[in-house]
Amino acid sequence: MAANLPTHSQVQGGIGVTEPSTTHHDEHLHHDEHHDQHWLFKYVFSQDHKVIAKQFLITGIFWAIIGGTLSSLFRLQLGWPESTFEWLSPFLGKWIEAGKLNPEFYLALVTMHGTIMVFFVLTAGLSGTFSNFLIPLQIGARDMASGFMNMLSYWFFFLSSIIMFTSLFIETGPAAAGWTIYPPLSALPQAIPGSGLGMTLWLVSMALFIVSQLLGGVNYITTVINLRTRGMSMSKLPLTIWAFFLTAVLGLLSFPVLFSAALLLIFDRSFGTSFFLSDIYIAGQALNHQGGSPILFQHLFWFLGHPEVYIVIMPAMGMVSEILATNSRKPIFGYRAMIGSLLGISLLSFVVWAHHMFVTGMNPFLGSVFMFLTLIIAVPSAVKTFNWLATLWRGNIRFTTAMLFSIGFVSLFISGGLTGIILGNAAIDIQMHNTYFVVAHFHLVMGSSAFFGLFAGVYHWFPKMFGRMLDEKLGYIHFWLTFIGVYLVFMPMHYVGIAGFPRRYYAWTGFDSFSQFADLNKFISAAAILAFFGQFIFIFNFFYSIFRGRRATENPWNSTTLEWTTPVLPGHGNWPGEIPAVYRWPYDYSKPGAAEDFIPQNVPYSQTQSSNLPYERDTEE
């Protein structure tokens, strides 16, 4: 087999013509041997990337239930502000006062919902799951470059989760300064109850979370660069791997900045420094803090915060590209353009952070620069959208549940992306900034679409994870409930946002101008709660199918990438015997002259002479 290997990258693309690494084969030659491990090291402190991926996924599901529950609680308050919620007292205790939700607890609910969904579900749950699961399987590696670091990455995340979860139950309540934890509210423990111990635990938890992300990111990058199988040049990588790789680079460059912001905030809170504080009065008394700037914190936060949007969405983009091509039975349209747009988005994501800060009083010239850069990012985003639609065009589409969620992702990305162009304009953003228009925008383009990418990934790769199939009928019900629910929640939010309805308010009934939206708020809350309960169909399907689902075959979707060449349930080392070599790009679907409508990456050109294109014939020998 090795004698047939091409000596150069010769297939579609030609990007980064790179000689693939081969040295790892000898090092990992015996990894497929049977390992008799204690269950503690096989299932708990495992260094197997597949087990760690499942740990990330199940922890992410747990956090998604918590995050969704919190949002349902504050949507009750927003939808029915005049009602009493005495029935919640057994669960929320003192946070229900005279039948009403405590206003400060409301702030804590919003804060924790944002923190949990952005970091613990969509960052760790999404990227942690699929980067771990797919990188070694799709590039042809036995495991991650460092199994030990990989294991540490999960356990730092787990420890971070324990601390964040604990903060929900402390006497003074969890952090309540918003998921962006702007000072001075977050810097002064005496400001509100949620600025006390809950805020300290938030910072400690996030510091551990960042350590987890950095350990994982270094591992992903090293694995992709060094452990690709023979023939797997950069121009033959599936788009999922390109997306995971660039996401890891983004995380590695931006998370340390958030770490520094958290560290300086801890100094301000505990050691009397004034990095973010100046001229503060509490209860009529001046504090000693001088010379700091809360705007500095915003710059540091958003230097991570904006790339974080792409850390969340790019893995979903990669997976959706894969699923759309597989289920359209067509090559992905514009492979090189898709990689170029991923690179463009990654680069631009570092120079647009201040568009979150148009209302801080920044110099209008500076605002114009960030506005210009922000609008440019629409170009690579539009390229990706065009290519997804072109891939679907005239495809032989199979409407699997994963495909439905992928199409739903594209729909939400377009809907949310269009409002992003509106908010990228400083003059409009200043008007809209504190309204529900912003909430609707980022929940569609970042939150919901990333969730759709996550669901698409779970439905598509579940057979390789657990050796069984998810129930498709339950999947269809789950998809339609979620898809309709998301639009019913966030489209009306755009409308009330344009009308000036303010975000972050606990009660809006004191404003006559907003009372006219009472019914719409009830509608949004009811839709949000119903959509949330719809997710339990997925949770039932997920756990039931792990044990009782229909048994899967090795390649149930007739896909071309390497993970489907492994056994139904790949063991430690992924492939028994030698790792397959790669000869072609990952999107040879419906190739004219081919015996089947897909040709796996490990099939040499010498075996597909009837379907080879003219430039591929040189590689037939």
Side-chain angles (χ1 to χ4, degrees):
M1 180 177 288
N4 294 328
L5 283 173
T7 53
H8 298 286
S9 168
Q10 301 176 53
V11 295
Q12 291 86 340
I15 296 170
V17 179
T18 308
E19 198 66 38
S21 168
T22 59
T23 55
H24 67 288
H25 282 271
D26 293 336
E27 298 166 13
H28 295 268
L29 198 57
H30 302 293
H31 277 219
D32 58 313
E33 293 175 353
H34 179 68
H35 289 260
D36 288 323
Q37 289 180 304
H38 191 276
W39 66 268
L40 192 66
F41 297 102
K42 193 170 183 180
Y43 298 112
V44 181
F45 297 106
S46 173
Q47 296 186 29
D48 186 327
H49 70 101
K50 301 180 292 296
V51 176
I52 294 170
K54 293 173 192 172
Q55 290 174 327
F56 269 109
L57 178 58
I58 290 171
T59 312
I61 289 174
F62 167 80
W63 272 120
I65 295 170
I66 300 292
T69 303
L70 301 185
S71 69
S72 297
L73 289 174
F74 66 71
R75 278 311 318 181
L76 283 174
Q77 164 63 32
L78 291 167
W80 294 273
E82 306 292 353
S83 301
T84 57
F85 304 105
E86 200 62 57
W87 55 277
L88 286 173
S89 293
F91 308 101
L92 299 182
K94 69 169 188 172
W95 299 115
I96 297 293
E97 296 174 343
K100 307 290 287 184
L101 195 66
N102 180 290
E104 287 176 348
F105 189 62
Y106 169 85
L107 294 177
L109 290 174
V110 176
T111 300
M112 296 304 288
H113 167 74
T115 301
I116 289 168
M117 289 304 196
V118 171
F119 294 112
F120 289 74
V121 180
L122 295 178
T123 302
L126 175 54
S127 188
T129 298
F130 289 102
S131 294
N132 266 302
F133 191 75
L134 290 179
I135 286 176
L137 286 173
Q138 287 198 334
I139 68 169
R142 296 288 186 198
D143 207 317
M144 284 290 181
S146 169
F148 181 69
M149 274 176 63
N150 211 20
M151 181 190 72
L152 281 184
S153 170
Y154 173 73
W155 285 103
F156 268 103
F157 168 55
F158 185 80
L159 186 57
S160 159
S161 297
I162 293 288
I163 294 171
M164 193 64 82
F165 188 66
T166 303
S167 77
L168 294 171
F169 302 99
I170 61 176
E171 180 72 18
T172 51
W179 79 276
T180 54
I181 59 159
Y182 285 166
L185 199 56
S186 59
L188 297 169
Q190 65 272 43
I192 58 174
S195 301
L197 179 59
M199 192 67 240
T200 302
L201 292 175
W202 192 99
L203 289 166
V204 172
S205 170
M206 284 307 299
L208 294 170
F209 180 87
I210 293 168
V211 172
S212 160
Q213 291 301 302
L214 296 181
L215 285 170
V218 169
N219 223 358
Y220 304 152
I221 294 168
T222 310
T223 305
V224 172
I225 291 176
N226 291 318
L227 296 188
R228 285 171 283 126
T229 188
R230 288 170 296 165
M232 181 64 89
S233 62
M234 295 297 279
S235 59
K236 293 176 190 163
L237 284 178
L239 289 172
T240 43
I241 302 302
W242 271 104
F244 297 148
F245 176 70
L246 292 171
T247 299
V249 172
L250 285 187
L252 212 59
L253 295 176
S254 58
F255 266 114
V257 180
L258 179 64
F259 187 83
S260 70
L263 199 63
L264 297 181
L265 194 54
I266 291 171
F267 279 19
D268 275 6
R269 288 172 58 82
S270 305
F271 304 116
T273 58
S274 301
F275 291 105
F276 306 129
L277 297 171
S278 185
D279 306 317
I280 303 285
Y281 288 80
I282 287 191
Q285 185 175 358
L287 302 184
N288 293 326
H289 298 284
Q290 289 290 326
S293 168
I295 303 299
L296 169 63
F297 180 87
Q298 291 196 30
H299 280 291
L300 294 174
F301 181 89
W302 287 113
F303 191 83
L304 165 278
H306 197 76
E308 171 66 18
V309 171
Y310 299 101
I311 289 171
V312 164
I313 200 76
M314 285 208 314
M317 288 176 170
M319 293 192 295
V320 162
S321 303
E322 194 76 24
I323 295 166
L324 287 178
T326 300
N327 290 293
S328 297
R329 313 311 291 166
K330 279 180 65 184
I332 192 77
F333 186 86
Y335 175 74
R336 281 179 289 179
M338 293 294 256
I339 296 171
S341 57
L342 281 173
L343 289 165
I345 289 171
S346 302
L347 182 65
L348 288 168
S349 71
F350 280 108
V351 290
V352 298
W353 77 89
H355 71 220
H356 297 273
M357 301 167 57
F358 285 145
V359 295
T360 58
M362 71 165 57
N363 185 304
F365 174 75
L366 197 57
S368 301
V369 172
F370 279 105
M371 181 179 77
F372 179 69
L373 292 169
T374 300
L375 295 180
I376 288 178
I377 212 166
V379 175
S381 302
V383 168
K384 295 196 79 63
T385 305
F386 177 81
N387 288 354
W388 288 321
L389 296 177
T391 302
L392 288 168
W393 178 251
R394 303 188 74 178
N396 184 17
I397 296 176
R398 300 186 309 197
F399 287 102
T400 64
T401 310
M403 185 63 163
L404 289 177
F405 273 104
S406 297
I407 294 171
F409 168 92
V410 176
S411 166
L412 294 170
F413 188 72
I414 293 171
S415 306
L418 289 174
T419 54
I421 296 173
I422 295 170
L423 290 173
N425 284 279
I428 304 176
D429 179 81
I430 289 170
Q431 299 297 317
M432 300 281 197
H433 189 81
N434 284 319
T435 72
Y436 267 76
F437 192 87
V438 175
V439 179
H441 158 68
F442 74 73
H443 273 87
L444 272 188
V445 76
M446 174 187 162
S448 301
S449 56
F451 257 107
F452 272 56
L454 173 63
F455 286 133
V458 172
Y459 279 103
H460 191 73
W461 279 285
F462 188 90
K464 193 53 64 181
M465 284 184 174
F466 298 103
R468 293 178 183 269
M469 307 293 287
L470 282 165
D471 187 282
E472 285 285 299
K473 288 180 182 170
L474 288 177
Y476 293 151
I477 297 170
H478 173 224
F479 167 75
W480 285 111
L481 278 177
T482 309
F483 186 71
I484 294 169
V486 164
Y487 272 113
L488 290 181
V489 171
F490 297 114
M491 292 313 283
M493 274 194 195
H494 285 93
Y495 173 69
V496 298
I498 291 171
F501 198 91
R503 56 177 170 148
R504 304 195 182 98
Y505 277 29
Y506 164 78
W508 41 268
T509 47
F511 303 91
D512 290 338
S513 55
F514 302 135
S515 296
Q516 59 182 311
F517 300 116
D519 289 341
L520 206 47
N521 257 306
K522 280 182 191 164
F523 179 81
I524 293 171
S525 291
I529 292 167
L530 284 174
F532 171 61
F533 280 108
Q535 305 315 304
F536 286 93
I537 295 172
F538 166 75
I539 292 167
F540 168 78
N541 193 7
F542 180 86
F543 286 104
Y544 180 84
S545 299
I546 287 176
F547 304 103
R548 298 291 182 90
R550 182 165 54 88
R551 291 190 185 280
T553 57
E554 280 187 7
N555 188 1
W557 314 122
N558 291 338
S559 297
T560 56
T561 40
L562 281 187
E563 74 272 27
W564 305 105
T565 64
T566 62
V568 175
L569 268 179
H572 186 58
N574 297 334
W575 285 269
E578 192 176 359
I579 299 176
V582 163
Y583 299 90
R584 59 183 70 232
W585 78 325
Y587 301 106
D588 265 346
Y589 289 106
S590 300
K591 203 170 180 183
E596 294 183 279
D597 70 347
F598 72 107
I599 307 176
Q601 281 189 282
N602 63 324
V603 175
Y605 286 103
S606 58
Q607 296 180 15
T608 58
Q609 294 182 4
S610 62
S611 64
N612 289 348
L613 300 172
Y615 67 89
E616 294 168 341
R617 287 175 187 147
D618 295 338
T619 63
E620 288 177 0
E621 296 300 325

